[in-house]
Amino acid sequence: MLLTRKQQFQALFPDMQKFRLKQIDEAVFHAGWTGWNDVSNLSLPMREQAIKEIPWMSVKEVFTFESKHKDTFKAVLEVEGSKRIETVLMRNAREQWTVCVSSQIGCAMRCTFCATGTMGLTRNLTSDEIVDQVRFWNSFLTKRPDLAQRISNVVFMGMGEPLANYDSVRETLQLLLKHTDIGPTRITVSTVGLIPMLEKLLIDPEWPPVRLAVSLHSADSETRKTIMPSSYDGFLDKLAEWAERYFEKFDSKRRHITFEYVMLANVNDTPMHAKALASFAERVGKVRINLIPYNFTGSEYFNSEGDKADEFLEYLKSRNVDATKRRTMGDDIAAACGQLVVEGNT
Ligand code: SAH
């Protein structure tokens, strides 16, 4: 078990009072502080021991890539055990930045179109390792005065299945909400649709009201099972039933669930699939469909051609389904959805 910073402090100073732990959380988010030495509210001996034994940052930069339009950056970071993860910084429509974080090293879900899926799962990331991806980009931006400075959104769409690392993801959400000015509607957790975990968050008083995106990719059960081995007969019914309770709990007119839908030529983009998707969206109610162009990952798939993708979108709109097409960013630096894979991690 890897310890978080707070747990390391507790192990080192067993008599430490609770409010000190809060100070530690606050300290690492403090703009301008770059190490334990700056944390003036800790005693000098505590600071000195922390400097020796507790890393200020749990991730170390290996490389950072910059897209030609300077609107997407990808960093390869090293975490404990010499393992590598990736995180992406993207300019958003508000001319601010969205950070895409990884929640696991690799992924066990093995979606057939996703590069991360080919890695298998090495381990979960700790909440520090997830939070520190955001802190990494914050400090990156301070060194780049040529770029906008504000990180306004965080999406859990990097490597890994966030709900398979529930406790650390929940802790990360709490830390971000408490110590940054990023609000819950600017944070999106994207999941393959782990029903037991989706059920859990509904009855969990500590789960914050962040946005959820479900990687649907097909509303036809057979197709979904073929492209997503984590799917099974009855999944779509379970998801629809869950969504009903989700809307009851998070009762807000503006609240919706996003369905992500990667457009795979002749696999999930036929008129039959469009019909199934529109009907499923109608059944679930407040959904927004995000059509994602397939980013090449070396798998057997191809992106749907322009016309076909447009027809698909038009059909959804004609059925009054709220659907948009996501623009691809960062494909020149392999930072686009599904392209995050780190070689040499075993
Ligand atoms: N495990 C989470 C996060 C995955 S990444 C999840 O399944 O939601 C975020 C999105 O990118 C998911 O919807 C995922 O299915 C999608 N994606 C994966 N591979 C892709 C590819 N090659 N092209 C486009 N999108 C892809």
Side-chain angles (χ1 to χ4, degrees):
M1 236 311 255
L2 273 177
L3 299 183
T4 62
R5 277 184 285 271
K6 263 190 300 191
Q7 289 164 334
Q8 291 179 62
F9 267 95
Q10 275 173 307
L12 215 51
F13 311 105
D15 301 327
M16 197 168 66
Q17 287 165 292
K18 260 214 153 136
F19 75 93
R20 293 269 176 223
L21 293 177
K22 267 198 210 136
Q23 290 179 332
I24 292 158
D25 280 339
E26 268 164 29
V28 298
F29 282 100
H30 196 292
W33 285 4
T34 56
W36 298 120
N37 202 28
D38 294 324
V39 188
S40 45
N41 45 13
L42 293 179
S43 68
L44 191 60
M46 254 180 156
R47 274 183 264 161
E48 281 173 350
Q49 208 167 344
I51 291 168
K52 270 190 255 145
E53 305 199 26
I54 306 176
W56 174 255
M57 259 290 192
S58 61
V59 300
K60 243 191 0 238
E61 180 177 12
V62 182
F63 310 109
T64 300
F65 303 90
E66 176 165 343
S67 71
K68 56 180 182 291
H69 301 300
K70 286 192 186 188
D71 58 1
T72 310
F73 298 82
K74 174 172 96 166
V76 176
L77 303 175
E78 190 171 287
V79 294
E80 182 66 39
S82 303
K83 301 291 178 205
R84 290 175 176 193
I85 56 164
E86 299 186 345
T87 175
V88 179
L89 182 72
M90 296 165 281
R91 200 161 59 220
N92 60 36
R94 282 182 300 282
E95 298 289 313
Q96 297 169 341
W97 297 100
T98 297
V99 170
C100 175
V101 294
S102 292
S103 56
Q104 298 183 308
I105 306 177
C107 187
M109 298 299 134
R110 299 194 182 274
C111 299
T112 52
F113 45 82
C114 177
T116 309
T118 61
M119 294 172 65
L121 176 65
T122 301
R123 71 165 167 85
N124 282 336
L125 294 178
T126 66
S127 52
D128 284 347
E129 289 166 337
I130 309 174
V131 156
D132 287 356
Q133 297 169 52
V134 181
R135 290 176 63 224
F136 167 81
W137 288 118
N138 255 326
S139 84
F140 168 87
L141 288 171
T142 59
K143 290 177 243 149
R144 290 290 301 259
D146 58 316
L147 302 173
Q149 291 294 303
R150 192 177 138 75
I151 293 173
S152 62
N153 293 57
V154 175
V155 296
F156 287 70
M157 297 187 186
M159 299 175 145
E161 168 47 45
L163 293 188
N165 184 12
Y166 186 94
D167 290 346
S168 298
V169 166
R170 183 181 64 183
E171 170 80 10
T172 304
L173 296 172
Q174 288 164 348
L175 289 170
L176 291 175
L177 290 169
K178 201 145 171 220
H179 302 291
T180 71
D181 56 3
I182 307 170
T185 59
R186 301 241 187 268
I187 301 180
T188 303
V189 173
S190 176
T191 175
V192 75
L194 295 183
I195 299 287
M197 295 296 133
L198 288 168
E199 294 291 354
K200 183 171 172 175
L201 70 86
L202 275 193
I203 53 169
D204 181 353
E206 312 269 316
W207 181 267
V210 294
R211 291 197 188 281
L212 290 177
V214 177
S215 294
L216 191 67
H217 304 320
S218 181
D220 172 66
S221 183
E222 288 308 310
T223 308
R224 194 171 194 274
K225 281 196 302 183
T226 311
I227 59 180
M228 301 174 78
S230 65
S231 202
Y232 48 87
D233 291 333
F235 170 82
L236 294 164
D237 289 334
K238 286 212 168 95
L239 183 64
E241 286 156 20
W242 169 84
E244 210 172 303
R245 278 177 280 118
Y246 174 78
F247 293 129
E248 266 166 34
K249 161 140 189 198
F250 295 101
D251 180 28
S252 146
K253 290 210 177 62
R254 285 172 307 151
R255 176 66 61 166
H256 63 266
I257 301 171
T258 298
F259 286 149
E260 292 157 288
Y261 200 101
V262 55
M263 298 294 286
L264 305 173
N266 307 319
V267 174
N268 66 355
D269 69 343
T270 69
M272 179 280 274
H273 290 101
K275 262 188 208 147
L277 180 57
S279 302
F280 190 67
E282 273 165 12
R283 174 175 172 196
V284 173
K286 287 179 273 191
V287 301
R288 183 168 297 168
I289 291 176
N290 201 197
L291 301 179
I292 314 176
Y294 167 66
N295 299 308
F296 189 67
T297 59
S299 71
E300 66 204 82
Y301 302 111
F302 294 96
N303 185 28
S304 307
E305 283 140 42
D307 284 357
K308 227 168 162 194
D310 290 342
E311 276 166 36
F312 197 91
L313 180 64
E314 286 318 310
Y315 177 78
L316 295 175
K317 287 187 172 163
S318 76
R319 297 263 308 253
N320 288 320
V321 175
D322 181 358
T324 50
K325 236 166 53 180
R326 185 186 287 177
R327 48 195 184 121
T328 293
M329 299 176 76
D331 49 346
D332 57 329
I333 53 170
C337 294
Q339 291 187 315
L340 301 187
V341 62
V342 178
E343 276 160 30
N345 258 330
T346 40

